[in-house]
């Protein structure tokens, strides 16, 4: 009977010790707190990313609408400048270069920048006196 009491006491002691270690350990509580804060931060970050994505999608839509509105305004101004000022010389019209651009959204060939010079730049030319 003594062995039985000792065995029961040992099992109860182990259970009480495990429970005490589980709830009494400061590092474990701190780890659980940090885990909870991490999950909360991840949820906030996901929410922020969703808000940011929707913000930029809406901003892109608004900018596209604004570009269309400006394009329509410019086309209106370009067309009305010709009809309202028929006696004005073509060179004096502020929209003279951009009438073709307003009509078909293409820049005329004479206005496009070139990516090459008129003559060779001489950067690749080597002088014989420098080589040894």
């Amino acid at each position: 009977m003594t062995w039985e009491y000792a065995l029961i006491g040992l099992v109860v002691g182990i259970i009480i010790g495990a429970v005490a270690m589980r709830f009494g350990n400061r590092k474990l509580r701190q780890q659980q707190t940090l885990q909870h804060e991490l999950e909360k931060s991840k949820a906030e970050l996901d929410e922020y990313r969703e808000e940011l994505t929707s913000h930029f999608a809406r901003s892109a839509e608004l900018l596209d609408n604004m570009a269309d509105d400006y394009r329509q305004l410019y086309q209106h101004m370009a067309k009305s400048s010709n009809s309202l000022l028929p006696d004005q010389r073509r060179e004096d019209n502020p929209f003279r270069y951009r009438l073709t651009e307003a009509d078909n959204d293409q820049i005329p060939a004479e206005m496009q920048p070139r990516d090459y010079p008129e003559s060779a730049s001489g950067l690749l030319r080597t002088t014989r006196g420098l080589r040894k």
Side-chain angles (χ1 to χ4, degrees):
M1 187 100 144
T2 310
W3 287 99
E4 292 172 357
Y5 290 131
L7 189 58
I8 292 172
L10 180 64
V11 171
V12 170
I14 290 174
I15 293 173
I16 291 173
V19 169
M21 288 298 291
R22 177 85 175 140
F23 293 111
N25 193 350
R26 233 179 26 180
K27 288 184 180 179
L28 185 62
R29 281 186 294 181
Q30 189 178 25
Q31 181 184 8
Q32 288 174 344
T33 304
L34 289 175
Q35 182 70 27
H36 177 68
E37 289 177 10
L38 177 64
E39 290 171 359
K40 182 180 174 185
S41 296
K42 283 183 179 180
E44 289 175 358
L45 181 62
D46 289 340
E47 182 181 332
Y48 177 72
R49 284 182 179 164
E50 289 176 12
E51 287 178 18
L52 194 62
T53 302
S54 65
H55 166 74
F56 281 119
R58 178 70 176 140
S59 297
E61 181 183 334
L62 290 173
L63 284 173
D64 191 38
N65 292 342
M66 188 172 69
D68 287 340
D69 290 343
Y70 276 119
R71 188 175 298 115
Q72 289 175 3
L73 175 66
Y74 187 83
Q75 288 174 353
H76 169 72
M77 294 297 290
K79 289 177 184 177
S80 64
S81 70
N82 282 338
S83 64
L84 294 176
L85 301 171
D87 297 334
Q88 188 177 17
R89 295 183 334 183
R90 180 178 163 89
E91 293 80 24
D92 294 337
N93 187 351
F95 296 101
R96 71 178 181 256
Y97 293 119
R98 304 240 164 97
L99 281 176
T100 56
E101 181 182 346
D103 291 337
N104 61 9
D105 285 342
Q106 292 181 357
I107 299 174
E110 64 270 0
M111 290 183 60
Q112 292 181 355
R114 292 188 327 215
D115 58 350
Y116 57 90
E118 287 289 332
S119 62
S121 65
L123 290 175
L124 300 177
R125 191 178 316 155
T126 58
T127 59
R128 295 179 189 199
L130 295 177
R131 286 191 171 179
K132 293 184 181 181

